[in-house]
Amino acid sequence: KAVLQSLSPGEELRIGAGTWTIDSLLDLSISGTPSAPIWITAQPGAKPVITRSDASQNTVNVGQSAKAQYLLLRGLEITGGDIALRIHEAAHVWVDQCELHDCANNAVAANSADVDHLYFTRNEIHGTSGYGEGIYLGANMGATVAHDCVIAQNHVYDTGGEQGDGIELKQGSWGNLIAENFIH
């Protein structure tokens, strides 16, 4: 957790195989730059699991205490918690080839602050509860908006709970591309 939260522009953290349980607030309020993004990836050939043992907090938060930007998460399995991946104030965040699943609410939520240039590509998302959205962007009545985001080539399935929407983009959001997702 301490290593994740201390990454600086241009650094890459490769996480090895195993299960990494985080049972306190994990907030990635870290920022790279356009020419030196921060990379958090699976070590080649490994499938690291980041989990939380209860639903009293989200498993991974991005940009909760300060804006996060130019950050890439790739090849990680994120499971458990209330929301598996909660994105707060953020821009230029890319979530690629991750598996997000078995959480008490949404798998991914970016509805507490305006966000832009979020990229969700080639992810596997399943096993949600609560409201149960796979990916939830923006908030009711345009209270927060998501713009210039890409949601493409994701596999979203077995979303449950009260709604279970595969991908929900709220009114007021604009300039987003949603393409080639497989939702069932």
Side-chain angles (χ1 to χ4, degrees), residues 15-158:
I15 303 174
T19 299
W20 308 88
T21 301
I22 299 175
D23 280 336
S24 59
L25 176 66
L26 173 56
D27 176 21
L28 300 178
S29 289
I30 53 179
S31 289
T33 67
S35 61
I38 295 171
W39 295 68
I40 301 172
T41 65
Q43 189 171 11
K47 184 157 186 182
V49 178
I50 299 172
T51 188
R52 182 174 176 85
S53 60
D54 62 43
S56 64
Q57 177 55 256
N58 306 316
T59 305
V60 177
N61 292 279
V62 173
Q64 183 171 340
S65 62
K67 187 172 186 174
Q69 51 190 353
Y70 300 103
L71 170 65
L72 168 84
L73 305 175
R74 178 178 284 154
L76 308 174
E77 182 176 343
I78 302 172
T79 184
D82 182 38
I83 296 170
L85 177 61
R86 179 75 182 252
I87 300 174
H88 299 271
E89 189 178 3
H92 301 280
V93 173
W94 186 15
V95 180
D96 182 53
Q97 299 178 54
C98 291
E99 182 180 2
L100 302 113
H101 66 96
D102 293 310
C103 44
N105 219 315
N106 309 324
V108 176
N111 62 349
S112 60
D114 291 343
V115 294
D116 64 273
H117 296 89
L118 303 182
Y119 307 94
F120 300 98
T121 56
R122 303 180 294 177
N123 298 294
E124 182 179 351
I125 298 169
H126 60 95
T128 60
S129 298
Y131 285 104
E133 286 88 352
I135 300 175
Y136 187 112
L137 301 175
N140 288 323
M141 310 304 287
T144 65
V145 299
H147 70 86
D148 296 303
C149 300
V150 174
I151 301 100
Q153 298 183 344
N154 299 288
H155 183 194
V156 184
Y157 61 96
D158 292 340

